[in-house]
Amino acid sequence: MSMSDRAPAEHAPSTGLDPILRVLALWRGRAPRLAAGAFLSLLALLAALVLMRGAGARVAALAFGGAVAGMGLLRVSGVARVVLRYVERLVTHDAMFRALADLRVWFFRRLAGGAAAGLGFRRAGDLLSRLVSDVEALDGLYLRIMVPLAGACLVLPFLVVAILPVDPLLAAIVGGLFAAGAFLLPLAAALMGRREAAILTHRLADLRIGVLDLVTGLREIRAFGAEGRMMSHARARDAALLRGQARQARLLALMGGASYLCGQAAMLAVLAAILGVGLGPIPAARGIGLLFLVLAGFESAGGLTRAGALAGGISRAAARVVAVGETDGPPVIAGTQPAPPGTDIRFEQVSFRWQADRAPVFDGLNLDIRQGTRVAILGPSGIGKSTLAALLLKVAAPGAGRITLGGQDLATLDSVSVRRRMAWLSQATHLFADTIRANLLLGRPEASEADLWTALDRAQMGDTVRALPDGLDAWLGEGGASLSGGQGRRIALARTLLSDAPILILDEPATGLDGETERAFLTTLYDVTAGRTVILIAHRLVGVEKLDRVWRLADGRAVAAAV
Amino acid sequence: MSGDKMVMRAWTRAQSRLGRRPAMPVVACGMLAGLVAVGQAWCVASILARGLAGPASARWPGAGLLLAALAGLAAVRALLMAGGDMAAARAGQQARRRLRDEVLAAILRGGPALLRRRHSAELTALAVDRIEALDGFFARWIPASVLWIAVPALIAALAAVAQPGAAAIMILCGLAVPVGQAVFGIGAAVASRNQFLAMTRLQARFLDRVRGIATIVLLNRADDEAGRLAAAADELRRRTMKILRVAFLSSASIDCAMVVALVLIVVRDGGVVQLLRHGGSPAALADAAARSLFVLLLVPEFFAPLRALALAYQDRAHAAGAASAMGDLPDAPAQAAPARDALPALAAGGVAVAFAHVTFAWDAARGPVLDDLSFAVGAGEILTLVGPSGAGKSTIIEMLLGFIVPDSGQVLVGGADLAAMAPATQSALVSWIGQKPVLFAGTLRENILFARPDADEHALRAALDAASVDRFLADLPQGLDTPIGEGGFGLSGGQAQRVAIARAYLKDAKLLLLDEPTAHLDPETEGEILASLRVLARGRTVILSSHAAGARAFAGPCLDLGLDLGQPGALAPRPVPVEEGRHVHV
């Protein structure tokens, strides 16, 4: 819902060419297709110009009683033009959508690269809007701007060269009008519409966020009888979007009219030259040919003005798409070395704080966790137990001191290979809208059916899943909605246990388990993790854990406690 | 399938009716522009005919006038075009506002039960993208569906005055267009629906993956997921291309028809000119040339509305696709608001609650989760529902919230049947705290005031105090005005739960429903939250669902919804005979 209409926080509203160039660089892989599309488009345009010129001349000749000879050729080139136009549109659109699909994948990878610590203040609804509408808006960059602009660059000299031998003044006038219609007006439209188009991009995102809020908050809304308020809130966002769109439509309509008038003015000039009013006179037969040519040329550039008015939105969309990787979390050095075979973990004088203005979480923390040992790290909430896991998984990097894995500095190790060594059950582990099987397989894609059941049994969830009509193929729903909180948590636990990583980090694994089940789970944990390092992060111990060492976190350090 | 088609057709028809009036100005502009186009063609043809007759006759005194008239017509046409565009945009906006309102109202009416069937991204895509895509139906298709007959008819009629034969050719070629449209348009609606499905699938997958992005990254599954996203994005491309291919084909077919018409008219006129050359005067020849050129210039104008129709055809397909998507949403009238409103009897210390022979199944295949369940709780009492996950604790809570209604039996609150209460009465009766509260975009203050936006500062302070929100307020950079991210980033689970408690305080309802409020909390925080909840519970009837031992700290009886795991009855409890002591009286 929300309530305030603050503009979404955006870093550096870069609306210049920079983001556009970055998007174009990302399309390099599709360059051959895109270029082929543009080439075909120019070919189709050329065919149209030649055809129109020929047709005009033929009509004139006909009026003089000339031979009807060229008719066959006219027919052939007419058909060629229709076919070329069809193929050209197919190829350009297909190339464009391939490039957009690539961009969506790039967006996701980029997002994943910076999101090991979660989404933070970036809203899923806003990201969705970027992936869907903003990427979609970028099709205009190629289809509406680049290709027609290339066409206009071809048409202008064609027109000038065709008219120049007939009447230089006319050539200058038509050329000038064409440049105005194809370059100046779109530029003016772009400048006038820039602000509006950029705002619209945000308004659409705002609407999407508002609607997504309304949909995810349906329970709260119903429970608090807030239907009316949420509705009027969504309505306000919708109205803001529509108002902006109305302003943009007005600009588009006016610009479209102006661009039409440019073409008409050029036509008038040619007619005046034929009549010898102010210009010319030029021979009528050639004049008619030129007239047809001018009409075709201006028609090809007609869309550019509208595209210009939308350019601001396209540029804003590009900026929003390429901004996705910019995170504001603490810098993590992405190492390059593969993780060593050993899995001894050492924290040496590690200090860490999440934000500069916050108190340090760790201050000179020392820990020594040997390969294959079972340790517990205890402490009240907020003491930094989860931060410890974040540091180990290279979600965050220590401010001072160092962490070693198998004797090597974690900072030099490749984060993917580090994460392959560790399986983490975090407090915020997410269940995906998919089957139980697919959710489990995320932990180890090659796991067999038997492995899945073993993991479920160890997480005390096997019987429940077995009782489901669809068993492993039961659909979990959004965020595991079809399960209760405790069941969902145990599925996540099973997913973690399934992993064959040599280090298991279990952050409060017993959350959501009742006392009896918790004991049963912790008892089996000892047996199922033989040979693996287990780091149990908990608030307290139940007493059935078989541990090699226990630390208690306090004052940013770890103090050894009695086992 | 045919039923589905009928729904689609009925919806499209109803929408066309609603969209016709706003489309009137667009149609009027289009008709006038058609008239102006005829005038323009006539001016150009006259000028060219003069020019062709020879330089001498070209310099006749009317030339300047004709050029001026042409300029004037061009200006009028530009105005008409701009006016039509603006009117079309207005029509589209008006329709989208209305439809979005309807869809959002339907989603709100459907309530939480809707989320069990549909992904939130799916519903959002419906309310946002689906409706944006409908713009063309109202702005383009409806006017085009009138203009494609009216304007060509007008032009053909005027062309017939000059050259009946050429007009006949135009009409014949023009008639081929609707036939082509019908052929190419077959399956356009299905293609549109498929495309939208692909788009929805992509959105749902992405939203889901983004919400759990940390999980994906830490499991090293980012590459797999990117691959799957690529497949979904590629599917969207193929579906979109399918729609576009139809659109391009039909516009190519119109181009063909137009070229054929042009060629035929030129060939025919060539014959006429030949005849005239052998025995006609120069004046007759010039007149024939003017007529011929006039008709030729009209050919593109004749086909322009047909082309607009072809372009708008995909808009119509979108509308047909939207119809089936919207058909799934709950209908507007009827059961939403019961005519009568049963009023519950409220006591000072709470409200009495009773279940009488309630049976409910989420899914017939899994069997009933509540089977002939009866129990009663007195005003101001606390009932704890216990039992393993999935035994039906949440189901009971959702029933009391009015999210779901019993398949059979009655839920009585304050002696009145919950199903007979108006929604406003129902929602005023209960406060609810679930496992994880949804925190909306906005500040902390706005999120707490969500429960009662008109609460004054004093009431807000009291709620903050009672829920111990003030304990962490000092840690937030902007205090109460700190923005809270989606899913409550910036607040820990315990802090988010305190927001929920503050909301419940502000709402001050007599019945407090607690659905595993501490399921996601560590034991220490759980203890603190429970202490706050105990304060909140004073003077209210409380129904608490919990599996955690700590929650039994609440005094009062327990209703055990024990689950026999050995039975293939799934997540459902065994049948609950009332005689077996499951009938709890408090």
Side-chain angles (χ1 to χ4, degrees):
Chain A
M1 111 163 154
S2 225
M3 322 177 212
S4 38
D5 275 314
R6 263 170 293 101
E10 279 295 325
H11 354 224
S14 47
T15 38
L17 268 181
D18 201 45
I20 300 245
L21 292 177
R22 296 222 27 217
V23 167
L24 290 182
L26 289 171
W27 286 348
R28 253 184 321 221
R30 297 291 181 191
R33 269 173 196 277
L34 291 170
F39 178 72
L40 274 173
S41 159
L42 291 182
L43 214 58
L45 182 59
L46 209 60
L49 290 176
V50 171
L51 173 75
M52 284 311 265
R53 196 181 169 189
R58 218 130 301 168
V59 167
L62 195 68
F64 281 122
V68 196
M71 226 56 220
L73 182 69
L74 194 67
R75 231 168 295 171
V76 169
S77 51
V79 171
R81 199 207 134 198
V82 171
V83 172
L84 260 178
R85 177 101 186 98
Y86 172 73
V87 173
E88 171 259 318
R89 289 165 101 185
L90 270 191
V91 173
T92 48
H93 281 79
D94 186 65
M96 187 68 257
F97 294 137
R98 279 174 201 272
L100 292 190
D102 290 353
L103 198 59
R104 292 199 161 112
V105 175
W106 172 86
F107 184 86
F108 180 79
R109 284 184 188 279
R110 191 68 206 246
L111 187 65
L119 284 182
F121 279 101
R122 281 169 298 166
R123 314 181 55 68
D126 182 55
L127 290 170
L128 185 65
S129 206
R130 289 174 198 228
L131 178 93
V132 178
S133 327
D134 291 340
V135 169
E136 203 168 73
L138 285 175
D139 72 354
L141 182 56
Y142 172 75
L143 292 176
R144 285 160 168 252
I145 298 183
M146 290 170 62
V147 170
L149 213 54
C153 291
L154 178 80
V155 172
L156 180 61
F158 195 97
L159 280 180
V160 173
V161 168
I163 307 177
L164 208 55
V166 184
D167 187 338
L169 182 58
L170 185 63
I173 292 176
V174 171
L177 281 170
F178 185 82
F183 306 119
L184 291 181
L185 269 180
L187 193 65
L191 291 176
M192 284 161 73
R194 191 176 55 186
R195 245 183 65 80
E196 200 59 60
I199 291 173
L200 271 183
T201 309
H202 288 295
R203 295 234 169 113
L204 185 60
D206 278 354
L207 175 68
R208 196 187 302 275
I209 292 169
V211 171
L212 193 57
D213 247 1
L214 180 146
V215 172
T216 42
L218 276 173
R219 290 166 170 280
E220 264 78 2
I221 293 168
R222 180 61 68 86
F224 288 103
E227 282 92 346
R229 280 181 277 142
M230 290 305 284
M231 190 69 190
S232 62
H233 187 76
R235 246 185 225 142
R237 287 182 177 214
D238 188 35
L241 175 70
L242 291 176
R243 261 198 315 278
Q245 284 174 338
R247 269 196 295 276
Q248 191 178 54
R250 211 149 39 226
L251 178 71
L252 281 173
L254 292 178
M255 284 297 164
S259 142
Y260 172 75
L261 284 178
C262 279
Q264 291 292 302
M267 189 186 78
L268 272 176
V270 176
L271 288 174
I274 292 173
L275 288 176
V277 179
L279 286 161
I282 57 173
R286 300 194 76 170
I288 293 181
L290 291 184
L291 185 71
F292 277 53
L293 189 60
V294 165
L295 287 178
F298 273 84
E299 196 195 306
S300 74
L304 271 171
T305 315
R306 293 176 149 267
L310 299 175
I314 292 173
S315 144
R316 192 79 208 96
R320 281 165 52 84
V321 170
V322 297
V324 66
E326 291 163 12
T327 47
D328 30 32
V332 179
I333 305 154
T336 48
Q337 305 276 323
T343 52
D344 288 349
I345 296 168
R346 281 178 71 90
F347 281 65
E348 298 169 6
Q349 291 295 323
V350 168
S351 298
F352 179 80
R353 58 178 81 209
W354 280 105
Q355 275 163 1
D357 54 352
R358 290 219 180 169
V361 183
F362 298 126
D363 190 7
L365 172 75
N366 287 305
L367 272 182
D368 187 3
I369 302 168
R370 301 245 158 228
Q371 185 166 344
T373 54
R374 288 176 183 73
V375 303
I377 294 167
L378 307 178
S381 67
I383 199 72
K385 291 171 300 185
S386 300
T387 306
L388 196 78
L391 287 171
L392 269 176
L393 282 147
K394 294 196 71 173
V395 171
R402 66 174 203 149
I403 305 168
T404 60
L405 176 67
Q408 290 203 38
D409 192 343
L410 208 57
T412 64
L413 300 179
D414 172 39
S415 34
V416 171
S417 71
V418 168
R419 287 171 196 160
R420 206 163 279 151
R421 291 296 152 91
M422 306 180 195
W424 181 23
L425 175 71
S426 84
Q427 299 264 42
T429 298
H430 184 84
L431 289 179
F432 295 94
D434 215 323
T435 58
I436 291 179
R437 183 192 304 276
N439 265 288
L440 291 177
L441 286 177
L442 275 175
R444 183 150 59 95
E446 68 281 4
S448 69
E449 180 102 4
D451 295 338
L452 299 185
W453 285 114
T454 314
L456 282 172
D457 284 335
R458 286 171 181 171
Q460 312 293 322
M461 189 63 189
D463 291 336
T464 313
V465 176
R466 237 169 247 124
L468 294 174
D470 297 327
L472 279 173
D473 293 311
W475 188 257
L476 275 190
E478 195 174 344
S482 67
L483 298 181
S484 76
Q487 290 171 333
R489 186 87 184 131
R490 276 182 277 161
I491 296 276
L493 178 59
R495 178 164 70 194
T496 310
L497 292 178
L498 193 62
S499 155
D500 50 9
I503 302 170
L504 287 178
I505 306 172
L506 305 175
D507 193 349
E508 299 280 4
T511 306
L513 301 187
D514 53 62
E516 230 170 278
T517 324
E518 181 182 6
R519 282 173 168 274
F521 163 68
L522 290 170
T523 313
T524 46
L525 186 65
Y526 179 82
D527 306 319
V528 304
T529 57
R532 296 209 253 175
T533 307
V534 176
I535 304 176
L536 187 66
I537 297 178
H539 165 260
R540 53 164 171 79
L541 292 177
V542 188
V544 295
E545 303 92 344
K546 294 164 188 163
L547 298 163
D548 298 311
R549 278 194 89 167
V550 176
W551 279 281
R552 198 169 286 282
L553 287 178
D555 300 327
R557 289 155 201 263
V559 185
V563 177
Chain B
M1 202 58 215
S2 68
D4 199 28
K5 251 183 202 155
M6 246 155 55
V7 169
M8 275 157 74
R9 205 163 295 156
W11 190 86
T12 316
R13 202 172 299 138
Q15 293 301 323
S16 302
R17 233 186 344 266
L18 286 167
R20 209 158 285 153
R21 181 183 281 276
M24 279 309 176
V26 189
V27 172
C29 284
M31 292 289 288
L32 287 174
L35 263 179
V36 172
V38 175
Q40 286 174 303
W42 184 79
C43 288
V44 174
S46 310
I47 294 173
L48 290 181
R50 290 274 172 180
L52 287 172
S57 76
R59 258 178 232 100
W60 100 113
L65 210 65
L66 214 47
L67 282 177
L70 196 52
L73 284 176
V76 172
R77 182 145 183 215
L79 280 178
L80 285 173
M81 280 163 53
D85 283 357
M86 281 189 238
R90 242 191 323 273
Q93 280 156 13
Q94 203 176 319
R96 277 183 289 141
R97 188 196 319 267
R98 175 173 54 78
L99 285 172
R100 192 163 284 141
D101 243 39
E102 283 174 17
V103 167
L104 289 176
I107 289 174
L108 285 171
R109 208 165 32 241
L114 213 50
L115 287 178
R116 295 212 166 236
R117 290 185 285 127
R118 314 272 296 256
H119 195 278
S120 58
E122 214 179 300
L123 292 169
T124 307
L126 178 64
V128 178
D129 304 284
R130 207 30 152 167
I131 290 182
E132 282 302 288
L134 280 178
D135 185 57
F137 179 76
F138 297 96
R140 288 187 293 271
W141 169 261
I142 293 180
S145 66
V146 178
L147 288 172
W148 82 274
I149 296 187
V151 173
L154 180 79
I155 291 177
L158 291 169
V161 175
Q163 265 196 347
I169 292 176
M170 257 196 248
I171 290 172
L172 277 178
C173 290
L175 281 180
V177 172
V179 177
Q181 290 301 300
V183 173
F184 294 129
I186 292 170
V190 177
S192 161
R193 196 166 36 166
N194 286 342
Q195 187 233 11
F196 199 77
L197 264 178
M199 171 63 105
T200 307
R201 226 171 279 142
L202 176 73
Q203 291 201 20
R205 172 164 279 272
F206 179 76
L207 185 66
D208 194 46
R209 269 37 180 188
V210 159
R211 282 186 180 150
I213 190 114
T215 303
I216 287 176
V217 172
L218 294 171
L219 286 170
N220 272 329
R221 290 288 162 263
D223 282 347
D224 288 4
E225 282 305 323
R228 291 210 190 102
L229 186 77
D234 198 57
E235 161 138 357
L236 176 65
R237 172 188 67 83
R238 278 186 288 111
R239 302 267 184 214
T240 311
M241 283 311 292
K242 212 169 251 176
I243 293 184
L244 287 179
R245 199 166 301 137
V246 171
F248 295 160
L249 256 182
S250 69
S251 101
S253 75
I254 292 174
D255 283 354
C256 272
M258 187 171 93
V259 169
V260 169
L262 278 172
V263 169
L264 286 179
I265 290 175
V266 169
V267 170
R268 183 184 162 280
D269 286 1
V272 174
V273 170
Q274 293 285 352
L275 274 179
L276 279 172
R277 245 183 20 129
H278 289 296
S281 63
L285 193 64
D287 182 55
R291 284 166 187 272
S292 172
L293 281 167
F294 172 62
V295 175
L296 276 180
L297 287 168
L298 281 183
V299 169
E301 303 291 353
F302 179 89
F303 282 94
L306 295 174
R307 197 190 302 256
L309 184 81
L311 282 179
Y313 205 83
Q314 53 173 322
D315 293 323
R316 200 190 94 96
H318 284 321
S324 60
M326 290 183 194
D328 277 5
L329 291 176
D331 283 338
Q335 85 282 16
R340 68 215 155 76
D341 183 8
L343 288 176
L346 299 178
V351 62
V353 174
F355 270 50
H357 304 286
V358 170
T359 300
F360 181 81
W362 284 107
D363 175 0
R366 290 192 189 182
V369 63
L370 302 179
D371 195 355
D372 197 26
L373 177 70
S374 296
F375 67 86
V377 190
E381 301 286 349
I382 296 172
L383 173 70
T384 305
L385 306 172
V386 292
S389 325
K393 302 184 300 265
S394 297
T395 310
I396 291 176
I397 302 256
E398 298 213 346
M399 212 167 261
L400 283 166
L401 279 163
F403 293 176
I404 49 174
V405 286
D407 294 340
S408 67
Q410 269 189 326
V411 177
L412 301 164
V413 179
D417 186 357
L418 200 61
M421 286 183 206
T425 314
Q426 257 185 40
S427 78
L429 209 54
V430 288
S431 282
W432 163 74
I433 297 176
Q435 299 182 2
K436 273 184 190 168
V438 169
L439 299 175
F440 298 102
T443 63
L444 181 59
R445 177 196 303 275
E446 289 165 335
N447 264 292
I448 294 173
L449 283 178
F450 175 75
R452 186 149 65 88
D454 56 346
D456 57 17
E457 195 64 22
H458 181 73
L460 175 64
R461 286 288 153 196
L464 292 180
D465 197 46
S468 302
V469 170
D470 45 358
R471 264 200 232 172
F472 65 88
L473 217 47
D475 298 337
L476 297 176
Q478 294 158 287
L480 264 182
D481 296 310
T482 307
I484 304 175
E486 200 163 75
F489 181 90
L491 297 189
S492 70
Q495 290 168 338
Q497 220 43 304
R498 292 202 179 282
V499 171
I501 295 175
R503 281 178 180 166
Y505 258 107
L506 269 188
K507 189 171 178 193
D508 198 22
K510 287 292 174 204
L511 174 58
L512 176 61
L513 304 174
L514 304 173
D515 191 2
E516 304 195 25
T518 56
H520 292 272
L521 304 177
D522 62 73
E524 180 200 24
T525 316
E526 177 177 22
E528 292 170 10
I529 293 292
L530 283 174
S532 291
L533 286 175
R534 253 177 243 122
V535 180
L536 177 65
R538 275 182 217 141
R540 298 172 219 277
T541 307
V542 177
I543 295 183
L544 163 78
S545 121
S546 179
H547 55 245
R552 300 210 180 148
F554 273 98
C558 282
L559 175 60
D560 191 351
L561 301 155
L563 169 70
D564 190 350
L565 281 172
Q567 280 196 0
L571 296 178
R574 280 169 303 157
V576 191
V578 180
E579 304 78 30
E580 277 189 15
R582 310 273 310 262
H583 195 139
V584 185
H585 271 292
V586 183

